[in-house]
Amino acid sequence: MQAVSWSAALQGLGADLPAMTAFVVWESMILLAAVALTRWLSPAQEASSRPTAERVLAWLLIDLALQSVFGSAFGLLRFNSSSGYLFAAGATLALLHLRAPRRLLDDARTVHATLRLPRLPLNLGNIVLLAVALGFAAIVLSRGIMPTDEWDTLGDMNAMLRWIANEQTPYTVPNHYCASWHTTFLPGMVLLQSSLFNWWIALKVVIACGLGIWLLAQSLGLSHRLSLLLTANGLAITHLWTRPSGISSLKVDLPSAAGQVVALAMLALALRKGWSRLRAVLLILAAGLTWSRYNGPVLTIMLAGLAGLMFYEQLWQNRKRVLAWCGIAAVLLFVYAGHYYLKNLILFGNPMYPVRIQLLGISLPGELDLHKTTVLYHIANPDIWRLFFFPSSLKIKGVQLWLYSPLGMLFPITLAASLLIGAWTSLRGVLRLGRQRKLPGFILGLWVLAGWLLFVRTYYSAAKDDGALYIFRDNINSLRYAVGLLIVSEVFLVHLLNRWLLRFRGRWAALAPSVLLVISWASRVEILLFRQHRPAASFAELQPVFPILLLLLGGLVFWCQRIRAQQRRTWLIWIGALLVGLLAAPLIYDANRQCNWLRKWGELPQLLYDAAPTEIVYLTGDGDRFTTFPFAGRHLQHRFRTMSVQEFCQRPPTAASLDLVLWASKPPILQQLTPELQARVLSQGIPHVSLPAQLGHALESLGLREVYGNPQCAAWAKDTTVFAGP
């Protein structure tokens, strides 16, 4: 694989520039609308001050909620269009500033005040800190800025292509899941006509998760150093960035994790500083994020029970106001995600359909009986215990899988301590309920214990539908369901350890939590660097990007050292950083696209990438309909009609309406083979044994011949001009 050339990158950038401009305008208007709503929700004495972490968190969650609601509304109305989204964002912004148009400028200045970095002296400590932060950002973004290659996400993308074309609505999401997270990406994909900046939408959730960790740690009285280390350690978990649930995928594990962390941070802040409208809305929006997964309503009930336990007197004294807020929460949750569950309840009699529910004597219909997929069902399997508590001893066919846990070197200790200490603090708190229920240790301990018990009962936490264990895949694949819980567990343990060590005098005792967090963070960074089960672009392939990144690094260092609070200059620097990002992101995206897609399906995705719009008949087999997205083109210009091979052989489409016939299968994990074996596999030709003989007769009768073929995909057309550009 060769490096992405400058000429090809600049040509692609020129083709994408109008769409990227529209996307930047959309993002700016939605952000300013979120800032306006945050100002309205904030107390008067805080609305005019410099934004805090809590208010920046509000910007992100309101921004994501607006994008999701707009995507759902336009998708359900089948009115997806660039002009429609831009008009809706502009109208919302105008409505929010109708009475005081000058507030729009004030909101822009508020954003600027947040983006203005402090002046940092260039001493050794700050240089090391800046280098580590930028190095970590370069690592995770170089692996996250890519078109998805995760199998379930490809299935979701197949459905989203039909939403974008206004052929179907978000109610046709695969498996009838809640589509609130998928519709968050819909406006950007409509404006860009690609998934070029899907990573940016997901990155907002990761940043929100980081702010939630910081606020939770601060609300527990931890020092700035420990809060920063907890945030860095939590954000280094591999499942936040890479396969199968990282920022390049549409997996709902990211919003579920962030929702849990932010919700608990809001409860802890309310316990320490009291309630406000902003905290109440953030709690509701955090709960809405968890609803993207089917266990979201259960987590919301748990949060409500926790809030009732913590604030019983206040809730009873202000019961009328509480009832009003419950109504507001019901409306917001319904608009955000609840209508997807209501649709399933009306159509199938089960809001969690297709999962069959049997709990406490309640039985709801469903196609899937998933009790064999849980950790609880396999709890007697010794490999499960080795995986969680002794990962270095786990061997598959005599081969050691890991030196230490893929969740970090200290994960086994964290899990064991969370269960034991969580049980102890919960039991002690229940026995001393009157005095303990408002102590953060009791509240977090109760959540941690209940959360891990819920995880072992979570579907797909250990095995596939047939009960075959798959938990060992992709760095403990199913632990992505518990990322938020793991982060809260770490904050809980550090809080208790710090309180215990405060009884001892001495510098080393105070540094112990920091040392443990640094060890955990370093082990997780090592996992991100060296233990990935997906290919990533090499240094040579990303070579054109590094001068741009070095330019950005130099600009940031110059800014931190020389520039004070001069509004005009800082705005110019942020505009320059935006332009650099718009140039670098497509380069990284294209390098990773070639590294992933072309190694799995050969050159066919590249041949169709810039081809003229084509109607493609996509032949499907068992599960093969998930692979249409890699062949949709740079601007999703191609349209697909999916047919099974048998249907095509029996009733082929007329030749007049046929441009291209395509067949593809789920690719093998070629990146696990040596380069020699990869070349041998890709040179063997199409495995015709997988295709019926009748297919050749049907294609010949239409005058089609093979124009491309390898072991994983094939294409038939009248000639190769189908791959020509517009």
Side-chain angles (χ1 to χ4, degrees):
M1 195 70 60
Q2 298 180 352
V4 180
S5 67
W6 280 103
S7 59
L10 291 176
Q11 289 176 3
L13 181 64
D16 294 330
L17 189 59
M20 287 196 294
T21 303
F23 179 73
V24 170
V25 171
W26 159 263
E27 286 287 317
S28 301
M29 290 193 292
I30 291 296
L31 175 61
L32 289 173
V35 173
L37 288 171
T38 302
R39 172 173 42 80
W40 179 73
L41 292 169
S42 301
Q45 63 271 21
E46 296 181 9
S48 58
S49 61
R50 183 171 180 175
T52 60
E54 186 178 357
R55 288 168 62 194
V56 175
L57 176 61
W59 296 355
L60 292 173
L61 293 193
I62 295 173
D63 179 299
L64 291 166
L66 289 175
Q67 300 218 33
S68 177
V69 171
F70 277 130
S72 292
F74 280 70
L76 293 173
L77 294 173
R78 301 194 183 191
F79 192 61
N80 284 304
S81 66
S82 298
S83 57
Y85 280 114
L86 293 175
F87 176 80
T92 302
L93 195 60
L95 185 63
L96 291 172
H97 297 87
L98 189 60
R99 292 187 176 181
R102 291 196 169 209
R103 286 281 193 180
L104 180 60
L105 185 59
D106 294 338
D107 291 339
R109 288 172 177 164
T110 301
V111 176
H112 167 260
T114 306
L115 297 177
R116 190 172 62 226
L117 297 178
R119 186 173 185 242
L120 297 176
L122 287 183
N123 55 42
L124 181 61
N126 287 333
I127 291 176
V128 171
L129 182 63
L130 186 63
V132 169
L134 290 175
F136 178 76
I139 291 170
V140 296
L141 291 180
S142 66
R143 284 162 167 76
I145 301 178
M146 63 172 61
T148 184
D149 67 340
E150 196 275 324
W151 197 241
D152 290 336
T153 299
L154 287 174
D156 297 336
M157 283 291 193
N158 185 50
M160 291 185 70
L161 290 177
R162 289 174 168 80
W163 304 352
I164 293 170
N166 295 314
E167 297 172 357
Q168 293 180 353
T169 72
Y171 282 161
T172 60
V173 69
N175 297 318
H176 304 282
Y177 291 154
C178 173
S180 60
W181 177 236
H182 300 74
T183 55
T184 308
F185 297 87
L186 195 53
M189 290 188 66
V190 170
L191 290 163
L192 291 165
Q193 288 296 299
S194 75
S195 63
L196 180 59
F197 282 95
N198 277 11
W199 62 272
W200 169 249
I201 306 298
L203 184 62
K204 294 180 187 179
V205 178
V206 178
I207 296 173
C209 184
L211 290 173
I213 301 171
W214 171 269
L215 290 171
L216 180 58
Q218 289 285 285
S219 66
L220 296 176
L222 295 176
S223 65
H224 281 60
R225 179 182 62 195
L226 282 178
S227 300
L228 182 62
L229 287 173
L230 276 167
T231 303
N233 185 53
L235 294 185
I237 296 176
T238 183
H239 297 79
L240 294 175
W241 302 104
T242 62
R243 181 183 178 94
S245 58
I247 59 175
S248 67
S249 77
L250 296 182
K251 287 287 191 182
V252 296
D253 309 296
L254 284 184
S256 179
Q260 291 184 56
V261 174
V262 172
L264 288 169
M266 292 304 105
L267 289 178
L269 278 174
L271 188 62
R272 184 173 184 178
K273 298 182 178 181
W275 284 102
S276 66
R277 286 190 304 180
L278 183 62
R279 290 190 187 114
V281 170
L282 285 179
L283 179 61
I284 296 169
L285 293 180
L289 282 177
T290 66
W291 281 44
S292 56
R293 286 196 75 233
Y294 58 82
N295 66 348
V298 178
L299 294 175
T300 302
I301 294 173
M302 292 170 58
L303 286 170
L306 210 60
L309 188 64
M310 296 166 65
F311 305 102
Y312 174 79
E313 293 91 347
Q314 291 177 251
L315 295 176
W316 179 252
Q317 292 170 3
N318 301 279
R319 51 189 175 274
K320 291 184 178 180
R321 182 177 297 179
V322 170
L323 287 175
W325 272 105
C326 288
I328 293 172
V331 171
L332 290 178
L333 288 174
F334 176 80
V335 173
Y336 198 168
H339 58 96
Y340 293 102
Y341 291 92
L342 180 62
K343 182 264 296 183
N344 285 346
L345 180 62
I346 293 174
L347 293 181
F348 308 109
N350 178 4
M352 310 297 182
Y353 188 85
V355 178
R356 187 183 306 163
I357 303 296
Q358 292 179 339
L359 183 65
L360 300 177
I362 301 174
S363 179
L364 299 178
E367 297 178 0
L368 302 177
D369 183 5
L370 303 179
H371 74 282
K372 293 183 179 180
T373 68
T374 66
V375 170
L376 183 62
Y377 183 84
H378 297 273
I379 200 69
N381 189 329
D383 285 342
I384 292 290
W385 293 89
R386 294 191 190 100
L387 176 70
F388 286 122
F389 299 107
F390 307 100
S392 60
S393 67
L394 185 64
K395 295 183 179 181
I396 301 297
K397 296 182 179 180
V399 179
Q400 184 181 19
L401 292 183
W402 308 294
L403 181 62
Y404 54 84
S405 173
L407 272 297
M409 187 178 293
L410 301 182
F411 170 72
I413 300 174
T414 301
L415 178 58
S418 299
L419 293 171
L420 295 175
I421 299 177
W424 166 248
T425 56
S426 300
L427 179 61
R428 190 177 67 169
V430 169
L431 295 176
R432 302 177 180 181
L433 187 58
R435 288 178 292 172
Q436 296 283 327
R437 69 179 179 189
K438 291 190 176 182
L439 293 181
F442 166 58
I443 297 302
L444 287 180
L446 196 61
W447 179 270
V448 166
L449 178 63
W452 284 113
L453 292 178
L454 179 64
F455 169 74
V456 301
R457 187 63 180 83
T458 299
Y459 299 132
Y460 293 118
S461 58
K464 298 180 180 180
D465 295 345
D466 57 1
L469 286 177
Y470 84 125
I471 192 173
F472 311 109
R473 293 171 45 195
D474 290 340
N475 291 328
I476 312 185
N477 183 359
S478 64
L479 255 297
R480 57 192 170 89
Y481 300 142
V483 168
L485 178 60
L486 176 59
I487 291 172
V488 174
S489 300
E490 291 172 347
V491 176
F492 165 65
L493 293 176
V494 169
H495 165 65
L496 293 183
L497 180 62
N498 187 63
R499 284 185 57 191
W500 183 69
L501 290 175
L502 286 177
R503 301 176 183 178
F504 302 92
R505 294 183 179 181
R507 185 177 180 183
W508 294 110
L511 285 177
S514 300
V515 172
L516 292 175
L517 288 172
V518 169
I519 292 173
S520 178
W521 177 83
S523 65
R524 287 175 175 175
V525 172
E526 186 272 333
I527 293 166
L528 279 169
L529 279 172
F530 303 112
R531 286 205 247 169
Q532 296 306 312
H533 292 276
R534 68 189 299 173
S538 65
F539 178 85
E541 292 161 352
L542 290 176
Q543 187 177 358
V545 182
F546 284 98
I548 300 174
L549 296 180
L550 289 175
L551 180 64
L552 179 59
L553 172 61
L556 285 173
V557 172
F558 176 78
W559 181 12
C560 295
Q561 175 65 16
R562 297 292 181 185
I563 293 181
R564 295 271 189 176
Q566 298 181 13
Q567 183 174 347
R568 182 175 59 184
R569 291 186 180 181
T570 52
W571 271 117
L572 289 175
I573 288 181
W574 274 112
I575 291 174
L578 174 65
L579 293 176
V580 169
L582 291 176
L583 179 61
L587 284 168
I588 300 173
Y589 181 93
D590 201 58
N592 280 318
R593 178 183 63 83
Q594 294 189 33
C595 187
N596 283 276
W597 284 2
L598 273 63
R599 286 178 182 172
K600 292 182 177 181
W601 290 286
E603 296 293 329
L604 187 55
Q606 184 66 25
L607 293 173
L608 291 168
Y609 198 56
D610 290 308
T614 303
E615 183 178 0
I616 300 174
V617 173
Y618 189 89
L619 303 180
T620 65
D622 185 16
D624 291 339
R625 67 178 66 247
F626 293 102
T627 56
T628 57
F629 181 69
F631 308 99
R634 179 191 292 273
H635 297 118
L636 310 180
Q637 67 267 28
H638 306 307
R639 292 291 175 260
F640 295 91
R641 285 188 291 158
T642 57
M643 303 177 64
S644 69
V645 174
Q646 291 74 18
E647 289 174 342
F648 184 87
C649 294
Q650 293 172 2
R651 292 184 300 172
T654 59
S657 62
L658 189 61
D659 294 326
L660 180 70
V661 174
L662 189 151
W663 170 84
S665 71
K666 184 175 181 178
I669 307 177
L670 291 180
Q671 58 267 32
Q672 295 183 357
L673 304 178
T674 64
E676 293 77 15
L677 286 177
Q678 289 183 25
R680 188 181 304 172
V681 169
L682 292 175
S683 64
Q684 287 175 350
I686 304 172
H688 292 284
V689 67
S690 301
L691 302 175
Q694 297 90 335
L695 178 62
H697 300 300
L699 293 167
E700 185 178 354
S701 66
L702 294 171
L704 302 178
R705 65 182 181 88
E706 181 183 308
V707 292
Y708 183 84
N710 71 30
Q712 296 307 317
C713 60
W716 296 268
K718 294 182 179 179
D719 52 56
T720 56
T721 57
V722 71
F723 298 133

